[in-house]
Amino acid sequence: MSTPIYNFSAGPATLPEDVLKQAQAELLDYQGTGFSVMTMSHRSDLFMDIMQRAENSLRQLMNIPNNYKVLFLQGGASAQFNMLSLNLAQGFKTINSVVTGNWSLMANNEMGKLVDAKIHVAAHAGELYNYNNLPSPSAWQLDESAAYTHYTSNETVHGLQYQALPTAALTNTPLVCDMSSDIISRPVNVNDFGVIYAGAQKNIGPAGTTIVIIREDLLERSSPLVPSVWNYKSHVDKEGMYNTPATYPVYIAGLVFDWLIQQGGVSAIEAKNNEKAAQLYAYIDSSDGYYKNTIDAAVRSKMNVIFHTASAERDAQFAKEADQAGLKLLKGYKSMGGMRASIYNAMPLAGVEALIKFMDEFKARNA
Ligand SMILES: *Cc1c(COP(=O)(O)O)cnc(C)c1O
């Protein structure tokens, strides 16, 4: 056996080892059926059961009320930027957009395409705080006649996260949240949202499927003129089988959900996530400025911890030596530089402890 590695990739990201082992054991023969999940018809009872159980497990984990539909779509979170506006913004003049980092900015720049509604920027963390802080929801300048209010709960690239999410009482407009990188990392009240969506490859499973949790009444906004494959209603009407879902990623997502239920669910994993993030930030803050994270402590991400040293050369050396020590993919996002440690649900505390130990040794060697 080779020494274990810890994979700090932002996504596709590390998965629970138990899940990968189960997938390996079932790869050629799923539960005595003689089939691999990869080669099952998506309309077979076998696969429909896998998908239904994945949905049920997610419903259990997130306590999703019955008036919300759950879809496993394709196209990633990025496809949702447009699918949301195509389906929800017809007949509206504006869409509220909260810009807090790379991903919400991407959504901001996409959501106005092919719809009449104009983007209304309700708050912009770049302009206000140079992405070192987040505008509190009470300070969002919302247009109350907008189709919906879009925000991102955790900015995967910039390392910012809303620790308290706005409630439905904030606005008459439905809250639409990109939770790609912190879904099922902590409890949320689904009733506060019109739509929650998340690409699977951060905290749920492999790349290829995107979870959409949508309040039923919003489906009435989908015009039949929206092409069917981009229309929420066609997917709901066909119970997720409008076209072929990403069957294998859905299966793995289901295994991850069941793993999380066994871990005690989202409250239990939240406690672990809090502990991992607390240890890593405490170390960074106690490094006498050798490692820096300039984000306001109240909005630091518990999923994506960014930090840098005094120079880009030192950062590159850090990432290279960390890689050799088995601490993988710590290099920051291309436009950001520095380092990023993604410590999603599947990252054990031991991985964070190994990283801190390495950071301290690196600092001693290169002070
Ligand atoms: C990764 C990510 C995306 C983009 O996801 P794709 O599946 O690559 O389209 C969007 N939003 C957030 C918050 C992300 O972390």
Side-chain angles (χ1 to χ4, degrees), residues 301-333:
S301 171
K302 292 173 179 167
M303 297 278 100
N304 311 98
V305 177
I306 63 173
F307 58 93
H308 60 270
T309 67
S311 72
E313 293 70 35
R314 183 66 37 100
D315 289 346
Q317 182 193 354
F318 180 98
K320 187 166 162 239
E321 291 182 16
D323 178 83
Q324 288 159 354
L327 306 170
K328 302 290 181 183
L329 297 167
L330 282 160
K331 192 169 177 291
Y333 191 77

Side-chain angles (χ1 to χ4, degrees), residues 75-79 81 103 152 154-157 178-181 197 199-202 210 344:
S78 302
F81 301 159
W103 288 113
T152 300
N154 181 67
E155 287 284 359
T156 323
V157 170
D178 179 353
M179 275 190 207
S180 291
S181 49
Y197 67 100
Q201 71 273 23
K202 310 306 177 18
T210 308
Y344 301 120

